[in-house]
Amino acid sequence: MGEFFKGIGKIPYEGKNSANPLAFKYYNPEEVVGGKTMREQLKFALSWWHTMGGDGTDMFGVGTADKTWGQTDPSARAKAKVDAAFEIMDKLSIDYFCFHDRDLSPEYGSLSETNAKLDEVTDYIAEKMKADPTKKCLWGTAKCFDHPRYMHGAGTSPSADVFAFAAAQIKKAIDATVKLGGNGYVFWGGREGYETLLNTDMGLELDNMARLMRLAVDYARSIGYTGDFYVEPKPKEPTKHQYDFDTATVLGFLRKYGLDKDFKMNIEANHATLAQHTFQHELRVARVNGAFGSIDANQGDTLLGWDTDQFPTNVYETALCMYEVLKAGGFTNGGLNFDAKARRGSFTPEDIFHSYIAGMDSFALGLKIADRMISDGRIDKFVEDRYSSWTTGIGKDIIDGRATMADLEKYALSKGEVTASLGSGRQEMLEAVMNNIMFSL
Ligand code: XLS
Ligand code: NI
Ligand code: NI
């Protein structure tokens, strides 16, 4: 195996005064922030699809970046991709990777041939992981959306044959994830949605999606898988309406079908904004419902209405994200997967490194700011005080279930008017506190 990125060595941490574009300015893997090293807090992952496969192809033009890894034969290319991925992870000090089955190995003529070829690649990865146990699988998933058979959905296809095929593909992807010691398995509903209700039995489609998820969980547990299952919400794209619209919608779905104990969320920043939410909103909804799991780290463009999957560089957003992560107690099985791609014009091999450095440094800064927001205490103290009426008196009686409607009426009548119990929300003051913390790092 040769070196793919000659001239790029291991990316060092050089600190904020460095002008070296191939050095970290803020990500210092062994530095302790909030009681753990940055490496443990941030748990960065490489996404196989964007980094190893994405060549910049879009609907207006062909690829601009060479992602052939010097091989034309699909099987040789799949293995070269593994070598290149391990080199990238190594040079960037990234410990985890995420994959779709078809990112590792493409489809061949039949499912049995496709499965056999996938086995060869996962064997090869397993060998490399044995040689370097610092490299781990954050999560795996099945690409049940690109092939024409999935044009009307996979788990939500009108065809029972397609449902069965998807189940077989997912079974194999779970096997691959378990074989590689994956900590998570993701369901992202690629084409699980609809274009028009004129041709759609929504009730049956949702029931079937739940059936597939139940079957998958039961199968994985039966072969000893102990990791997490995640749903990755997204409101639209590729379908007009995706069933897994946002975290709140997914939670309702999981509860309806009794799957809420089995699934957590994989929250993607760009999906949150497509759903007209902030990234922090989605993380907060997951957290307060005990469903926070993992993160697809990227960012959208506020002027564009699709999943641009840009590398995250907005430090305000990474800080609010890491604030939610720290408040959730940090990652357990999850991590920060860069579901992100360099722009089509950023086509050179160095751009892969510049992109990851930019994203990792932005999250390192976000972590430091979030940790400071918590230790500074001004924001948390303000929120605590704002809700202090719930800790004594009538508020405590309500929370403890002691107050009846009649009691509350009696209380309100005795007060006559309660507007005076309200204080200012102090939004501007708190935003200034956040700026003060950000820029005094
Ligand atoms: C697409 C999704 C996809 C999932 C994995 O928008 O983000 O990349 O993360 O299937
Ligand atoms: Ni994603
Ligand atoms: Ni996405």
Side-chain angles (χ1 to χ4, degrees):
M1 167 198 104
E3 192 182 6
F4 289 90
F5 301 93
K6 293 207 176 71
I8 299 178
K10 191 157 176 99
I11 304 300
Y13 165 71
E14 290 185 359
K16 64 180 177 186
N17 295 322
S18 167
N20 176 3
L22 289 172
F24 294 116
K25 317 294 179 299
Y26 304 101
Y27 181 57
N28 183 8
E30 303 314 322
E31 183 179 331
V32 174
V33 180
K36 288 189 224 164
T37 63
M38 284 196 175
R39 187 172 216 131
E40 292 163 330
Q41 291 281 27
L42 295 165
K43 293 182 69 183
F44 291 126
L46 165 144
S47 66
W48 216 272
W49 52 105
H50 288 307
T51 306
M52 310 320 299
D55 65 1
T57 301
D58 68 15
M59 56 266 248
F60 300 101
V62 298
T64 53
D66 181 3
K67 297 283 178 79
T68 61
W69 308 107
Q71 302 292 338
T72 44
D73 169 65
S75 172
R77 181 176 296 170
K79 286 189 184 145
K81 265 185 175 180
V82 177
D83 293 334
F86 274 68
E87 186 182 328
I88 294 171
M89 286 191 277
D90 214 40
K91 289 185 167 170
L92 282 163
S93 306
I94 290 177
D95 295 329
Y96 296 87
F97 60 88
C98 297
F99 68 89
H100 299 85
D101 47 2
R102 304 301 174 243
D103 308 329
L104 300 183
S105 177
E107 291 212 18
Y108 293 82
S110 68
L111 184 59
S112 54
E113 194 189 346
T114 300
N115 285 349
K117 290 287 197 184
L118 178 61
D119 282 338
E120 283 176 24
V121 179
T122 50
D123 284 347
Y124 188 60
I125 297 177
E127 255 174 55
K128 301 215 33 140
M129 291 172 78
K130 216 168 147 196
D132 179 2
T134 64
K135 305 285 177 290
K136 289 163 278 193
C137 172
L138 191 70
W139 53 256
T141 188
K143 203 169 207 173
C144 288
F145 47 85
D146 64 337
H147 192 279
R149 80 176 71 84
Y150 297 126
M151 67 174 82
H152 302 309
T156 64
S157 174
S159 159
D161 278 5
V162 172
F163 181 101
F165 199 101
Q169 188 179 330
I170 290 168
K171 176 175 178 291
K172 188 71 187 169
I174 290 172
D175 290 341
T177 304
V178 171
K179 177 168 160 185
L180 299 177
N183 295 326
Y185 185 88
V186 166
F187 277 81
W188 170 62
R191 292 188 195 272
E192 315 293 15
Y194 65 81
E195 297 299 327
T196 170
L197 289 173
L198 291 174
N199 66 13
T200 301
D201 184 341
M202 185 193 272
L204 178 65
E205 291 199 1
L206 288 167
D207 289 351
N208 283 346
M209 192 64 226
R211 288 185 177 105
L212 182 58
M213 289 162 72
R214 168 54 56 213
L215 287 166
V217 169
D218 289 349
Y219 170 70
R221 297 301 183 214
S222 80
I223 60 164
Y225 173 66
T226 55
D228 285 344
F229 285 94
Y230 306 119
V231 175
E232 184 180 321
K234 186 176 185 182
K236 56 187 169 185
E237 194 200 24
T239 65
K240 175 179 86 173
H241 180 96
Q242 304 261 133
Y243 289 134
D244 296 336
F245 194 94
D246 61 0
T247 301
T249 308
V250 172
L251 287 169
F253 168 89
L254 294 173
R255 285 172 187 154
K256 172 175 177 189
Y257 293 102
L259 290 161
D260 49 311
K261 302 281 176 293
D262 299 295
F263 284 85
K264 295 179 186 167
M265 299 297 143
N266 181 40
I267 306 286
E268 179 165 321
N270 203 163
H271 296 183
T273 49
L274 283 180
Q276 309 278 310
H277 297 309
T278 62
F279 185 20
Q280 190 187 12
H281 168 94
E282 285 293 87
L283 292 162
R284 180 71 63 95
V285 175
R287 169 159 84 81
V288 301
N289 283 285
F292 169 68
S294 201
I295 289 176
D296 270 8
N298 61 16
Q299 71 186 27
D301 185 310
T302 46
L303 302 182
L304 301 175
W306 62 90
D307 202 7
T308 58
D309 287 340
Q310 286 159 241
F311 270 86
T313 51
N314 182 331
V315 175
Y316 205 85
E317 293 295 321
T318 61
L320 292 172
C321 167
M322 289 313 297
Y323 177 76
E324 294 301 320
V325 173
L326 292 179
K327 288 279 182 184
F331 290 113
T332 50
N333 282 327
L336 286 165
N337 166 45
F338 284 107
D339 192 350
K341 59 187 177 198
R343 298 303 83 196
R344 189 167 182 268
S346 305
F347 64 95
T348 74
E350 292 77 25
D351 285 304
I352 296 176
F353 288 84
H354 292 314
S355 307
Y356 274 93
I357 291 168
M360 292 165 78
D361 267 345
S362 300
F363 266 95
L365 272 170
L367 169 65
K368 287 187 151 190
I369 295 163
D371 177 56
R372 191 70 79 82
M373 283 165 75
I374 293 170
S375 63
D376 174 274
R378 279 177 285 175
I379 293 173
D380 286 346
K381 176 79 171 59
F382 182 84
V383 174
E384 196 188 315
D385 290 350
R386 189 164 184 239
Y387 293 89
S388 61
S389 71
W390 295 93
T391 58
T392 55
I394 194 75
K396 181 117 181 26
D397 288 348
I398 295 168
I399 284 185
D400 291 345
R402 272 197 303 273
T404 65
M405 288 298 271
D407 294 334
L408 296 175
E409 183 189 43
K410 194 169 153 221
Y411 184 83
L413 287 170
S414 76
K415 289 268 167 185
E417 179 47 55
V418 291
T419 310
S421 72
L422 296 174
S424 166
R426 298 267 189 260
Q427 180 171 337
E428 298 76 7
M429 181 195 82
L430 293 166
E431 286 166 349
V433 167
M434 173 131 180
N435 281 347
N436 175 238
I437 291 168
M438 282 183 79
F439 292 98
S440 59
L441 260 188

